[in-house]
PDB file of all heavy atoms in Angstrom:
ATOM      1  N   THR A1882      -8.679  -0.947  -3.331  1.00 91.00           N
ATOM      2  CA  THR A1882      -7.918  -2.185  -3.496  1.00 91.00           C
ATOM      3  C   THR A1882      -8.073  -3.063  -2.257  1.00 91.00           C
ATOM      4  O   THR A1882      -8.035  -2.578  -1.127  1.00 91.00           O
ATOM      5  CB  THR A1882      -6.427  -1.866  -3.721  1.00 91.00           C
ATOM      6  OG1 THR A1882      -6.299  -0.989  -4.842  1.00 91.00           O
ATOM      7  CG2 THR A1882      -5.637  -3.133  -3.997  1.00 91.00           C
ATOM      8  N   ASP A1883      -8.216  -4.356  -2.472  1.00 91.00           N
ATOM      9  CA  ASP A1883      -8.411  -5.303  -1.379  1.00 91.00           C
ATOM     10  C   ASP A1883      -7.140  -5.400  -0.527  1.00 91.00           C
ATOM     11  O   ASP A1883      -6.118  -5.900  -0.989  1.00 91.00           O
ATOM     12  CB  ASP A1883      -8.753  -6.677  -1.961  1.00 91.00           C
ATOM     13  CG  ASP A1883      -9.014  -7.731  -0.901  1.00 91.00           C
ATOM     14  OD1 ASP A1883      -8.986  -7.395   0.299  1.00 91.00           O
ATOM     15  OD2 ASP A1883      -9.251  -8.893  -1.282  1.00 91.00           O
ATOM     16  N   PRO A1884      -7.175  -4.952   0.737  1.00 94.00           N
ATOM     17  CA  PRO A1884      -5.962  -4.979   1.560  1.00 94.00           C
ATOM     18  C   PRO A1884      -5.655  -6.361   2.121  1.00 94.00           C
ATOM     19  O   PRO A1884      -4.568  -6.571   2.672  1.00 94.00           O
ATOM     20  CB  PRO A1884      -6.301  -4.007   2.695  1.00 94.00           C
ATOM     21  CG  PRO A1884      -7.777  -4.127   2.852  1.00 94.00           C
ATOM     22  CD  PRO A1884      -8.316  -4.356   1.462  1.00 94.00           C
ATOM     23  N   TRP A1885      -6.605  -7.307   1.995  1.00 93.00           N
ATOM     24  CA  TRP A1885      -6.407  -8.658   2.539  1.00 93.00           C
ATOM     25  C   TRP A1885      -5.786  -9.594   1.513  1.00 93.00           C
ATOM     26  O   TRP A1885      -5.462 -10.741   1.838  1.00 93.00           O
ATOM     27  CB  TRP A1885      -7.750  -9.219   3.010  1.00 93.00           C
ATOM     28  CG  TRP A1885      -8.422  -8.329   4.001  1.00 93.00           C
ATOM     29  CD1 TRP A1885      -9.295  -7.310   3.739  1.00 93.00           C
ATOM     30  CD2 TRP A1885      -8.254  -8.331   5.421  1.00 93.00           C
ATOM     31  NE1 TRP A1885      -9.692  -6.692   4.896  1.00 93.00           N
ATOM     32  CE2 TRP A1885      -9.072  -7.302   5.949  1.00 93.00           C
ATOM     33  CE3 TRP A1885      -7.511  -9.115   6.307  1.00 93.00           C
ATOM     34  CZ2 TRP A1885      -9.156  -7.035   7.310  1.00 93.00           C
ATOM     35  CZ3 TRP A1885      -7.595  -8.852   7.663  1.00 93.00           C
ATOM     36  CH2 TRP A1885      -8.409  -7.818   8.146  1.00 93.00           C
ATOM     37  N   GLN A1886      -5.611  -9.129   0.310  1.00 93.00           N
ATOM     38  CA  GLN A1886      -4.987  -9.930  -0.738  1.00 93.00           C
ATOM     39  C   GLN A1886      -3.530 -10.198  -0.362  1.00 93.00           C
ATOM     40  O   GLN A1886      -2.842  -9.327   0.173  1.00 93.00           O
ATOM     41  CB  GLN A1886      -5.068  -9.153  -2.059  1.00 93.00           C
ATOM     42  CG  GLN A1886      -4.580  -9.899  -3.278  1.00 93.00           C
ATOM     43  CD  GLN A1886      -4.797  -9.085  -4.545  1.00 93.00           C
ATOM     44  OE1 GLN A1886      -5.634  -8.187  -4.572  1.00 93.00           O
ATOM     45  NE2 GLN A1886      -4.035  -9.391  -5.582  1.00 93.00           N
ATOM     46  N   LEU A1887      -3.056 -11.402  -0.663  1.00 95.00           N
ATOM     47  CA  LEU A1887      -1.691 -11.785  -0.286  1.00 95.00           C
ATOM     48  C   LEU A1887      -0.702 -11.639  -1.437  1.00 95.00           C
ATOM     49  O   LEU A1887       0.414 -11.167  -1.239  1.00 95.00           O
ATOM     50  CB  LEU A1887      -1.675 -13.224   0.237  1.00 95.00           C
ATOM     51  CG  LEU A1887      -2.461 -13.465   1.531  1.00 95.00           C
ATOM     52  CD1 LEU A1887      -2.422 -14.944   1.905  1.00 95.00           C
ATOM     53  CD2 LEU A1887      -1.923 -12.616   2.673  1.00 95.00           C
ATOM     54  N   ASP A1888      -1.099 -12.055  -2.619  1.00 95.00           N
ATOM     55  CA  ASP A1888      -0.209 -11.988  -3.779  1.00 95.00           C
ATOM     56  C   ASP A1888      -0.744 -10.969  -4.781  1.00 95.00           C
ATOM     57  O   ASP A1888      -1.955 -10.866  -4.986  1.00 95.00           O
ATOM     58  CB  ASP A1888      -0.081 -13.351  -4.453  1.00 95.00           C
ATOM     59  CG  ASP A1888       0.566 -14.386  -3.543  1.00 95.00           C
ATOM     60  OD1 ASP A1888       1.316 -13.985  -2.643  1.00 95.00           O
ATOM     61  OD2 ASP A1888       0.308 -15.592  -3.735  1.00 95.00           O
ATOM     62  N   TYR A1889       0.166 -10.252  -5.414  1.00 94.00           N
ATOM     63  CA  TYR A1889      -0.202  -9.187  -6.337  1.00 94.00           C
ATOM     64  C   TYR A1889       0.491  -9.425  -7.673  1.00 94.00           C
ATOM     65  O   TYR A1889       1.704  -9.270  -7.780  1.00 94.00           O
ATOM     66  CB  TYR A1889       0.198  -7.818  -5.777  1.00 94.00           C
ATOM     67  CG  TYR A1889      -0.578  -7.437  -4.543  1.00 94.00           C
ATOM     68  CD1 TYR A1889      -0.230  -7.965  -3.299  1.00 94.00           C
ATOM     69  CD2 TYR A1889      -1.661  -6.589  -4.600  1.00 94.00           C
ATOM     70  CE1 TYR A1889      -0.953  -7.648  -2.159  1.00 94.00           C
ATOM     71  CE2 TYR A1889      -2.387  -6.257  -3.468  1.00 94.00           C
ATOM     72  CZ  TYR A1889      -2.021  -6.794  -2.248  1.00 94.00           C
ATOM     73  OH  TYR A1889      -2.737  -6.471  -1.121  1.00 94.00           O
ATOM     74  N   PRO A1890      -0.258  -9.836  -8.698  1.00 92.00           N
ATOM     75  CA  PRO A1890       0.363  -9.994 -10.011  1.00 92.00           C
ATOM     76  C   PRO A1890       0.741  -8.631 -10.572  1.00 92.00           C
ATOM     77  O   PRO A1890       0.069  -7.633 -10.305  1.00 92.00           O
ATOM     78  CB  PRO A1890      -0.735 -10.660 -10.835  1.00 92.00           C
ATOM     79  CG  PRO A1890      -2.010 -10.201 -10.186  1.00 92.00           C
ATOM     80  CD  PRO A1890      -1.708 -10.093  -8.719  1.00 92.00           C
ATOM     81  N   GLY A1891       1.783  -8.584 -11.304  1.00 94.00           N
ATOM     82  CA  GLY A1891       2.190  -7.314 -11.908  1.00 94.00           C
ATOM     83  C   GLY A1891       3.405  -7.522 -12.775  1.00 94.00           C
ATOM     84  O   GLY A1891       4.256  -8.371 -12.491  1.00 94.00           O
ATOM     85  N   ASP A1892       3.488  -6.733 -13.854  1.00 95.00           N
ATOM     86  CA  ASP A1892       4.596  -6.880 -14.790  1.00 95.00           C
ATOM     87  C   ASP A1892       5.353  -5.582 -15.001  1.00 95.00           C
ATOM     88  O   ASP A1892       6.154  -5.466 -15.923  1.00 95.00           O
ATOM     89  CB  ASP A1892       4.079  -7.401 -16.129  1.00 95.00           C
ATOM     90  CG  ASP A1892       3.015  -6.491 -16.747  1.00 95.00           C
ATOM     91  OD1 ASP A1892       2.738  -5.405 -16.179  1.00 95.00           O
ATOM     92  OD2 ASP A1892       2.466  -6.855 -17.802  1.00 95.00           O
ATOM     93  N   GLY A1893       5.076  -4.583 -14.151  1.00 97.00           N
ATOM     94  CA  GLY A1893       5.800  -3.321 -14.279  1.00 97.00           C
ATOM     95  C   GLY A1893       5.260  -2.387 -15.329  1.00 97.00           C
ATOM     96  O   GLY A1893       5.903  -1.383 -15.646  1.00 97.00           O
ATOM     97  N   HIS A1894       4.058  -2.670 -15.853  1.00 97.00           N
ATOM     98  CA  HIS A1894       3.516  -1.852 -16.939  1.00 97.00           C
ATOM     99  C   HIS A1894       2.383  -0.929 -16.501  1.00 97.00           C
ATOM    100  O   HIS A1894       1.678  -0.381 -17.353  1.00 97.00           O
ATOM    101  CB  HIS A1894       3.043  -2.749 -18.081  1.00 97.00           C
ATOM    102  CG  HIS A1894       4.163  -3.272 -18.930  1.00 97.00           C
ATOM    103  ND1 HIS A1894       4.789  -2.512 -19.891  1.00 97.00           N
ATOM    104  CD2 HIS A1894       4.797  -4.479 -18.927  1.00 97.00           C
ATOM    105  CE1 HIS A1894       5.734  -3.221 -20.477  1.00 97.00           C
ATOM    106  NE2 HIS A1894       5.770  -4.426 -19.908  1.00 97.00           N
ATOM    107  N   GLU A1895       2.192  -0.768 -15.192  1.00 97.00           N
ATOM    108  CA  GLU A1895       1.184   0.170 -14.702  1.00 97.00           C
ATOM    109  C   GLU A1895       1.800   1.067 -13.632  1.00 97.00           C
ATOM    110  O   GLU A1895       2.543   0.596 -12.772  1.00 97.00           O
ATOM    111  CB  GLU A1895      -0.022  -0.566 -14.115  1.00 97.00           C
ATOM    112  CG  GLU A1895      -0.802  -1.396 -15.125  1.00 97.00           C
ATOM    113  CD  GLU A1895      -1.462  -0.565 -16.212  1.00 97.00           C
ATOM    114  OE1 GLU A1895      -1.864   0.584 -15.914  1.00 97.00           O
ATOM    115  OE2 GLU A1895      -1.574  -1.050 -17.353  1.00 97.00           O
ATOM    116  N   LEU A1896       1.479   2.342 -13.698  1.00 97.00           N
ATOM    117  CA  LEU A1896       1.939   3.309 -12.705  1.00 97.00           C
ATOM    118  C   LEU A1896       0.732   3.845 -11.963  1.00 97.00           C
ATOM    119  O   LEU A1896      -0.177   4.424 -12.554  1.00 97.00           O
ATOM    120  CB  LEU A1896       2.684   4.470 -13.387  1.00 97.00           C
ATOM    121  CG  LEU A1896       3.155   5.600 -12.463  1.00 97.00           C
ATOM    122  CD1 LEU A1896       4.269   5.129 -11.533  1.00 97.00           C
ATOM    123  CD2 LEU A1896       3.623   6.808 -13.286  1.00 97.00           C
ATOM    124  N   ALA A1897       0.706   3.638 -10.657  1.00 97.00           N
ATOM    125  CA  ALA A1897      -0.395   4.154  -9.840  1.00 97.00           C
ATOM    126  C   ALA A1897      -0.199   5.641  -9.595  1.00 97.00           C
ATOM    127  O   ALA A1897       0.933   6.130  -9.481  1.00 97.00           O
ATOM    128  CB  ALA A1897      -0.462   3.410  -8.513  1.00 97.00           C
ATOM    129  N   ALA A1898      -1.307   6.353  -9.510  1.00 96.00           N
ATOM    130  CA  ALA A1898      -1.233   7.760  -9.127  1.00 96.00           C
ATOM    131  C   ALA A1898      -0.945   7.849  -7.630  1.00 96.00           C
ATOM    132  O   ALA A1898      -1.325   6.971  -6.857  1.00 96.00           O
ATOM    133  CB  ALA A1898      -2.541   8.473  -9.455  1.00 96.00           C
ATOM    134  N   GLY A1899      -0.294   8.901  -7.219  1.00 96.00           N
ATOM    135  CA  GLY A1899       0.011   9.077  -5.807  1.00 96.00           C
ATOM    136  C   GLY A1899      -1.160   9.550  -4.981  1.00 96.00           C
ATOM    137  O   GLY A1899      -0.991   9.888  -3.804  1.00 96.00           O
ATOM    138  N   THR A1900      -2.368   9.537  -5.554  1.00 97.00           N
ATOM    139  CA  THR A1900      -3.561   9.964  -4.814  1.00 97.00           C
ATOM    140  C   THR A1900      -3.727   9.166  -3.533  1.00 97.00           C
ATOM    141  O   THR A1900      -4.193   9.692  -2.520  1.00 97.00           O
ATOM    142  CB  THR A1900      -4.811   9.810  -5.690  1.00 97.00           C
ATOM    143  OG1 THR A1900      -4.637  10.568  -6.897  1.00 97.00           O
ATOM    144  CG2 THR A1900      -6.049  10.299  -4.976  1.00 97.00           C
ATOM    145  N   VAL A1901      -3.362   7.887  -3.571  1.00 97.00           N
ATOM    146  CA  VAL A1901      -3.525   7.037  -2.387  1.00 97.00           C
ATOM    147  C   VAL A1901      -2.710   7.553  -1.203  1.00 97.00           C
ATOM    148  O   VAL A1901      -3.044   7.299  -0.054  1.00 97.00           O
ATOM    149  CB  VAL A1901      -3.139   5.573  -2.686  1.00 97.00           C
ATOM    150  CG1 VAL A1901      -4.200   4.904  -3.509  1.00 97.00           C
ATOM    151  CG2 VAL A1901      -1.791   5.489  -3.384  1.00 97.00           C
ATOM    152  N   PHE A1902      -1.639   8.273  -1.481  1.00 98.00           N
ATOM    153  CA  PHE A1902      -0.873   8.928  -0.417  1.00 98.00           C
ATOM    154  C   PHE A1902      -1.379  10.349  -0.179  1.00 98.00           C
ATOM    155  O   PHE A1902      -1.570  10.770   0.965  1.00 98.00           O
ATOM    156  CB  PHE A1902       0.612   8.982  -0.785  1.00 98.00           C
ATOM    157  CG  PHE A1902       1.458   9.770   0.173  1.00 98.00           C
ATOM    158  CD1 PHE A1902       2.072   9.157   1.253  1.00 98.00           C
ATOM    159  CD2 PHE A1902       1.642  11.138   0.002  1.00 98.00           C
ATOM    160  CE1 PHE A1902       2.852   9.885   2.152  1.00 98.00           C
ATOM    161  CE2 PHE A1902       2.412  11.882   0.890  1.00 98.00           C
ATOM    162  CZ  PHE A1902       3.018  11.253   1.969  1.00 98.00           C
ATOM    163  N   LEU A1903      -1.601  11.085  -1.239  1.00 98.00           N
ATOM    164  CA  LEU A1903      -1.885  12.515  -1.118  1.00 98.00           C
ATOM    165  C   LEU A1903      -3.167  12.799  -0.351  1.00 98.00           C
ATOM    166  O   LEU A1903      -3.200  13.684   0.520  1.00 98.00           O
ATOM    167  CB  LEU A1903      -1.959  13.151  -2.511  1.00 98.00           C
ATOM    168  CG  LEU A1903      -0.655  13.145  -3.319  1.00 98.00           C
ATOM    169  CD1 LEU A1903      -0.908  13.687  -4.725  1.00 98.00           C
ATOM    170  CD2 LEU A1903       0.423  13.971  -2.623  1.00 98.00           C
ATOM    171  N   LEU A1904      -4.253  12.086  -0.668  1.00 98.00           N
ATOM    172  CA  LEU A1904      -5.525  12.358  -0.004  1.00 98.00           C
ATOM    173  C   LEU A1904      -5.428  12.161   1.508  1.00 98.00           C
ATOM    174  O   LEU A1904      -5.777  13.068   2.271  1.00 98.00           O
ATOM    175  CB  LEU A1904      -6.636  11.504  -0.609  1.00 98.00           C
ATOM    176  CG  LEU A1904      -8.006  11.575   0.085  1.00 98.00           C
ATOM    177  CD1 LEU A1904      -8.503  13.009   0.195  1.00 98.00           C
ATOM    178  CD2 LEU A1904      -9.027  10.701  -0.639  1.00 98.00           C
ATOM    179  N   PRO A1905      -4.953  11.006   2.012  1.00 98.00           N
ATOM    180  CA  PRO A1905      -4.871  10.879   3.476  1.00 98.00           C
ATOM    181  C   PRO A1905      -3.825  11.798   4.100  1.00 98.00           C
ATOM    182  O   PRO A1905      -4.025  12.277   5.227  1.00 98.00           O
ATOM    183  CB  PRO A1905      -4.512   9.407   3.684  1.00 98.00           C
ATOM    184  CG  PRO A1905      -3.950   8.944   2.399  1.00 98.00           C
ATOM    185  CD  PRO A1905      -4.635   9.740   1.338  1.00 98.00           C
TER     186      PRO A1905
END
Side-chain angles (χ1 to χ4, degrees):
T1882 304
D1883 182 3
W1885 304 90
Q1886 185 176 338
L1887 296 177
D1888 296 335
Y1889 293 80
D1892 58 5
H1894 282 282
E1895 296 296 327
L1896 177 68
T1900 303
V1901 286
F1902 174 91
L1903 295 175
L1904 174 55

